[in-house]
Amino acid sequence: MRHGAHSERELLSPGMRVLIRGQEWLVDKVEPNSLGNHAVSCTGISALVRDMTATFLDDLDTITPVDPVKTRFIPDTSARAAKSHLFIESLLRATAPTDARIHVGNKAAMDSLPYQLVPAKKALAQPRQRILIADAVGLGKTLEAGILMSELIKRRKGRRILVVTAKSMMVQFQKEMWERFAIPLISLDSSRIQQIRSEIPANANPFSYYDKVIISIDTLKRDIQYGAALDASYWDIIVIDEAQNVADRAVNGRSAQRAKLAKRLASRSDTLIMLSATPHDGRARSFASLMNMLDPTTLPDPERYDKKDVEHLYVRRFKKDVMAEVPGSFPERKVTQEKCKATAAEEEAFDYLTDMKLVMDMHQKRSNSFLFKTMLEKSLFSSPAACIKTIDERVKRLAKKDVSDQTGDIDRLEGLKAALEKIGPMQFSRYQRLLQLLRSADYGWHNGEDADDRIVIFTERIETKNYLEEHLRQDLKLPKKVIVSMDGGMSDVEQQKIVEDFGTKSSSIRILVASDVASEGLNLHYLSHRLIHFDTPWSLMVFQQRNGRIDRYGQRKQPDIRFMMICSRNAKIQGDTHILEILQQKEDQARKDIGDPSLLMGKFDVDQEEEFTREAIESGESAEDFAARLRIPDEDIDHSDERSEDVELCRMTMFDPLSFFNLTTPDGSDTTSTEENESAGESVTGSADDGGIVDSSTLMSDYEYVDEGLSCEEFRQSAGLKSKRPLRDAHGFAVEFQEDSPLRAWLRRRVPNTQVLRDNIAEWSDDAKYCEDQANGLLARINDESWSRVQYLWELNPITEWVGLKASSLLYQRDEAPIIGVTNGNLHADETIMLMNGMVANRHASPVIDEWFGVRYLDGECMGILPLEEVWRITGYRGNLIPGTTERRYVNREDSAASSEQIDAAQLLLEDAVSRGKSMLSDCGEQYRAQADEEVTQQMDRIEHWSHARKALLQSQGKNTKENTKQVDRMLEQYADWVQDTLDASGEPVIRIAAAFVGKE
């Protein structure tokens, strides 16, 4: 049927299955063009065009809606009805959830903890899934993002995914997504970018090469050509890791490149997931920039807003909030200060430094900037080598500026350098204490004999890092590969390799010496519970980030954290180290009391926190006075019982992290009222209740489904397998591919690294613990074999997609469905149940109603419509487990096939069954539309209020220009269209006949 007549055009709607050029497609969008015809955008369903996108013109192509009434019933005579089981299972698994509950995320290869399901539930309850996951360091933000991504993939909203993260985090994030969720992110590091560019035409968009990719934000920011391709790309999901780095902290109206890039990304996807353990810097505008990336129609004034305006856009919890849900998951850390008595050579250098007066610092005092003498002290507190480097660089600058050095500063600095050069390894007290610690029986490290016992040593300065790497290797007599270092000057590939090897049991690494490039986001806890601060940070945020590398969710041992503290007879040095000691103590206490130590300084920026500490040191402030200043300012505490106009004005004009993030005061009292928590609809911890999780209505487990699929005769040629065998150590199986295996070629495009399929072998297991152990204990003997061959077998693994693709296309032809005889006595010979799926889509072609049901007939008369579970109960089609085995006993057998009379009767009932199904869907659609209309009204009221408030603000600021007004109107229109298209059940009811059941004696 050519779809040319106007009356017929009305039949096409998003979500409809159609035939075009001999292939089956799903209609995504129908748009009129200037010629009076229609452009029909589609996604392929048939095997040949699966997941391809194309646009057809209805005046050039014959577009025929698939008619369920024309379905032909084919008797299933296979043993245990295996053929129809696979077919129906593939259709069941293709069903998209249309509610906000958890369907798959809780089944990933991870401990399913209630608090980790909350971000997904919160996002799914919104019209658009756009959320900031701002849980504290170590709670598992990456896993929470994976849960939400899994739910969206299940809902057909996650075909194209872009993850943007720091270069050191790429492999870790990539592996987390693959090993736990089987989401295959292809890494676009610097080397892969060059390779792709050589493989595609010069004018091609590299973002179209893969559907699921991960890339560093620095690569996107730096590469103009690559970044420009973003504007021509659209994604279903974009994830921005360490999102605090993309907040807009514009200086003189100029935004940083990262912030500009993030704004571009924010408009290129329906779903935006941002991750940050430190989401705020204490300024309203900065936090508002993140909220506006998530939803630009939320805050009319980025300087004045309340928690209620944005609380639907973020989730923030601390360890203290979730402890009750996860007893034992966060072993209490052990923190020890290692006292290091200064040697005579060190005391000489300390005395020289404190007595030294630099002329250059006289000018600095007047400008209130960092004294160079303080910089020298800070670098010396790292190591003599770092201090010498600081001196050398300054002397070079001074010599260029004034060859004669009339101030005498060069001579003074050279004198200090001479004193520092006397501090060899034997005179370096902190280094000697480090050696003693590593060798001591009490510490129990045993020189790295245990592959599960690795050490992270943090230091601020690269010179100190290099010093420690060199001398520890010599003094501990360690082979070269046992101790490694990492800093920000390394390439993305080098950083990723070191992090990967440190977490791989077979690697020889035992000690990682790292600069603070490794302090953000990295998981270093898999094989390490020991962390040593060789130098003490001057920033609470750096403390928090460093400690969070090993003190995080998934740590099985007690975190052992050590601080190397200088003990000197020099009063100035001892006073300054006491200030750093106070910092360490306050950070530990604040973590327990309020969760977020950065509130103590109220700076929310590493550089500004270091400035805070520097001012205390330069002013000679006592440690006691410094400690007294490390508290949450009174103005940042939300006094809920005070409701004066002054307090309300203060709350509206100041960004209040304490009240925003449900933190507690230092005395432990909660600043958020019980009424607020109850009105938010969740507990203080934000736990997901069991009612938010849906059990599967499928016929088989993931293992049974794939096992049956790979054993199916009809699939054998498409698989190209040499052999298939069970795994020895776990529940699962391994396959060996033929050299020309179509399945292996298909999988290679759907795994994050082809090493997963090395040696023409693949392994799958549904044992999550086994998969995790194999990934972490991998024999990575050569460079690129750091990916475990064992894949977690669950619903989202590519192999289940392949089985579904084959089951829905090879077992029965396009207009065929099985008819199955059942012998359990619940159906008489003159009874028939039509099993069907019904769907109604929105204008984006996403299902808003997707239901399974059965229509029951007795002697040709309709007896009613049955829910799916009732169909399974009556027919017994799921089978029952044989006691003591994993096998099922089925009530349908190969000798119970439907008779020709029953088949003919079922064919005659089809039209009536389809009509009743559509009628039921129409009723469901009316109920849905009534609820959706209310939601649309609420959303429209909200964004119209934003529009008026935004224009009024522009007017008051004298910025109500024609262009600014147009921009507001454009944003209003775009969001209104999106809400309407998303919530409107505009599609025609689409019915698919899955099977018919008839009774057999």
Side-chain angles (χ1 to χ4, degrees), residues 257-427:
Q257 282 181 295
R258 289 184 175 192
K260 291 178 180 177
L261 175 62
K263 288 178 182 177
R264 288 170 66 186
L265 290 172
S267 65
R268 305 313 301 161
S269 73
D270 278 350
T271 294
L272 178 61
I273 305 171
M274 306 181 96
L275 309 177
S276 175
T278 52
H280 59 83
D281 63 0
R283 288 173 287 187
R285 179 175 288 275
S286 175
F287 188 73
S289 71
L290 296 180
M291 298 295 98
N292 279 327
M293 289 179 203
L294 295 170
D295 183 356
T297 65
T298 290
L299 299 178
D301 186 349
E303 296 287 359
R304 291 177 175 81
Y305 53 94
D306 192 75
K307 175 182 176 180
K308 291 182 180 179
D309 296 326
V310 293
E311 62 185 354
H312 61 291
L313 293 174
Y314 71 86
V315 170
R316 181 145 171 90
R317 282 84 49 91
F318 297 86
K319 283 184 183 178
K320 64 185 182 62
D321 298 322
V322 303
M323 282 295 196
E325 295 183 18
V326 287
S329 293
F330 297 102
E332 185 60 33
R333 65 171 66 163
K334 174 187 176 184
V335 180
T336 306
Q337 289 186 355
E338 299 291 340
K339 302 293 186 179
C340 307
K341 183 178 179 181
T343 63
E346 287 179 314
E347 294 288 19
E348 181 182 342
F350 291 152
D351 290 345
Y352 190 103
L353 174 63
T354 55
D355 291 341
M356 183 174 63
K357 292 180 172 55
L358 295 171
V359 174
M360 69 179 88
D361 278 347
M362 300 303 293
H363 305 293
Q364 298 295 88
K365 281 184 179 179
R366 289 194 290 269
S367 62
N368 195 34
S369 57
F370 220 112
L371 297 182
F372 186 64
K373 188 173 176 178
T374 312
M375 291 177 63
L376 290 170
E377 183 178 1
K378 192 171 189 286
S379 61
L380 180 53
F381 282 177
S382 183
S383 71
C387 193
I388 289 172
K389 176 72 171 179
T390 303
I391 291 171
D392 287 344
E393 290 179 347
R394 181 54 63 98
V395 166
K396 285 180 184 178
R397 288 172 55 189
L398 289 174
K400 289 179 181 179
K401 185 176 180 181
D402 185 352
V403 178
S404 63
D405 184 32
Q406 297 174 1
T407 66
D409 279 355
I410 290 180
D411 290 340
R412 297 181 187 96
L413 292 176
E414 292 289 1
L416 177 59
K417 179 179 178 180
L420 293 170
E421 287 173 338
K422 296 178 184 178
I423 306 174
M426 294 300 296
Q427 292 77 39

Side-chain angles (χ1 to χ4, degrees), residues 718-777:
S718 296
L721 304 184
K722 268 189 182 179
S723 63
K724 177 173 173 285
R725 59 174 174 78
L727 296 179
R728 286 185 301 177
D729 303 324
H731 189 243
F733 50 82
V735 301
E736 183 176 2
F737 301 102
Q738 298 172 2
E739 287 296 329
D740 59 348
S741 165
L743 173 56
R744 182 176 184 273
W746 189 89
L747 288 172
R748 280 176 65 91
R749 290 283 297 177
R750 292 162 177 82
V751 296
N753 190 297
T754 54
Q755 283 300 317
V756 173
L757 306 172
R758 62 186 175 275
D759 303 324
N760 277 342
I761 293 173
E763 298 179 4
W764 289 275
S765 173
D766 59 353
D767 184 334
K769 182 65 169 62
Y770 175 77
C771 292
E772 184 176 357
D773 290 345
Q774 290 298 302
N776 292 331

Side-chain angles (χ1 to χ4, degrees), residues 19 32 56 126-127 163 202 213 308 351 382 409 446 450 453 470-471 494 553 619 630 633 698 847 860 889 895 935 988:
L19 297 177
F56 303 95
Q126 304 294 328
V163 174
V213 302
K308 291 182 180 179
D351 290 345
S382 183
D409 279 355
H446 307 302
D450 186 353
D453 192 357
E470 176 188 351
H471 287 85
E494 291 172 321
Y553 168 73
S619 67
L630 288 179
T698 55
R889 178 183 292 114
D895 60 352
E935 177 68 17
E988 290 290 320

Side-chain angles (χ1 to χ4, degrees), residues 14-279:
M16 184 174 289
R17 291 161 53 230
V18 295
L19 297 177
I20 307 174
R21 303 181 189 178
Q23 301 298 318
E24 189 170 347
W25 300 79
L26 181 74
V27 175
D28 295 328
K29 188 183 296 185
V30 181
E31 295 180 302
N33 58 30
S34 58
L35 300 176
N37 302 311
H38 289 76
V40 184
S41 301
C42 301
T43 300
I45 297 176
S46 301
L48 188 63
V49 296
R50 181 74 171 228
D51 286 337
M52 289 177 56
T53 57
T55 300
F56 303 95
L57 299 177
D58 64 356
D59 61 329
L60 298 179
D61 282 290
T62 299
I63 303 176
T64 308
V66 174
D67 186 357
V69 175
K70 296 181 179 178
T71 303
R72 293 184 301 112
F73 289 117
I74 309 298
D76 182 7
T77 58
S78 60
R80 299 178 293 108
K83 187 175 176 179
S84 61
H85 269 89
L86 266 178
F87 175 74
I88 295 172
E89 178 75 3
S90 70
L91 301 183
L92 288 168
R93 286 171 176 264
T95 306
T98 57
D99 56 25
R101 294 183 295 173
I102 302 297
H103 288 256
V104 294
N106 60 308
K107 302 169 189 173
M110 54 182 283
D111 298 331
S112 183
L113 303 176
Y115 83 85
Q116 291 182 331
L117 303 179
V118 170
K121 290 186 65 180
K122 192 164 191 174
L124 292 171
Q126 304 294 328
R128 283 201 297 185
Q129 285 68 59
R130 298 173 78 88
I131 191 168
L132 167 65
I133 301 177
D135 284 344
V137 173
L139 292 192
K141 291 180 292 296
T142 305
L143 300 183
E144 292 169 348
I147 292 169
L148 176 53
M149 291 161 71
S150 299
E151 291 295 326
L152 293 168
I153 291 170
K154 174 65 177 174
R155 287 161 169 79
R156 305 180 199 166
K157 296 178 179 180
R159 187 176 70 87
R160 282 180 51 77
I161 299 174
L162 172 67
V163 174
V164 182
T165 186
K167 59 185 178 181
S168 60
M169 282 287 296
M170 287 175 64
V171 168
Q172 176 178 300
F173 203 113
Q174 189 185 20
K175 283 196 164 188
E176 289 272 10
M177 290 302 105
W178 175 248
E179 291 165 2
R180 299 185 184 278
F181 303 97
I183 299 175
L185 300 173
I186 305 301
S187 176
L188 296 185
D189 56 31
S190 53
S191 61
R192 185 72 184 107
I193 290 171
Q194 297 303 319
Q195 183 181 346
I196 289 177
R197 283 178 167 163
S198 68
E199 295 173 356
I200 63 176
N203 61 345
N205 188 340
F207 281 126
S208 300
Y209 198 82
Y210 292 108
D211 279 336
K212 297 177 176 67
V213 302
I214 181 169
I215 190 168
S216 82
I217 191 165
D218 288 324
T219 299
L220 282 181
K221 179 186 70 175
R222 183 174 58 248
D223 195 314
I224 298 174
Q225 179 183 347
Y226 212 63
L230 287 172
D231 294 330
S233 304
Y234 202 85
W235 306 84
D236 297 314
I237 301 171
I238 290 179
V239 180
I240 299 178
D241 194 21
E242 300 296 344
Q244 73 277 2
N245 294 325
V246 302
D248 192 353
R249 296 165 185 169
V251 178
N252 298 325
R254 298 182 62 184
S255 299
Q257 282 181 295
R258 289 184 175 192
K260 291 178 180 177
L261 175 62
K263 288 178 182 177
R264 288 170 66 186
L265 290 172
S267 65
R268 305 313 301 161
S269 73
D270 278 350
T271 294
L272 178 61
I273 305 171
M274 306 181 96
L275 309 177
S276 175
T278 52

Side-chain angles (χ1 to χ4, degrees), residues 337 339 536-537 543 563 565-567 574-587 623 626:
Q337 289 186 355
K339 302 293 186 179
T536 304
F543 268 113
F563 291 87
M565 301 299 296
I566 299 169
C567 296
Q574 192 58 25
D576 294 347
T577 56
H578 196 188
I579 281 179
L580 300 184
E581 188 177 4
I582 292 294
L583 268 182
Q584 178 264 311
Q585 294 170 352
K586 286 286 189 176
E587 188 276 339
F626 181 71

Side-chain angles (χ1 to χ4, degrees), residues 648-660:
E648 287 301 313
L649 179 61
C650 177
R651 293 184 63 198
M652 291 300 292
T653 56
M654 296 188 63
F655 184 73
D656 184 357
L658 206 65
S659 64
F660 254 70

Side-chain angles (χ1 to χ4, degrees), residues 463-502:
E463 297 78 28
T464 309
K465 173 194 74 80
N466 294 339
Y467 183 97
L468 292 176
E469 182 182 11
E470 176 188 351
H471 287 85
L472 286 174
R473 183 179 291 120
Q474 294 173 359
D475 292 335
L476 295 175
K477 296 180 173 55
L478 298 174
K480 186 175 182 180
K481 293 184 179 180
V482 170
I483 178 169
V484 297
S485 66
M486 187 169 84
D487 62 71
M490 294 177 170
S491 71
D492 49 3
V493 177
E494 291 172 321
Q495 290 186 32
Q496 292 168 50
K497 180 66 174 137
I498 289 171
V499 173
E500 192 175 349
D501 287 347
F502 189 75

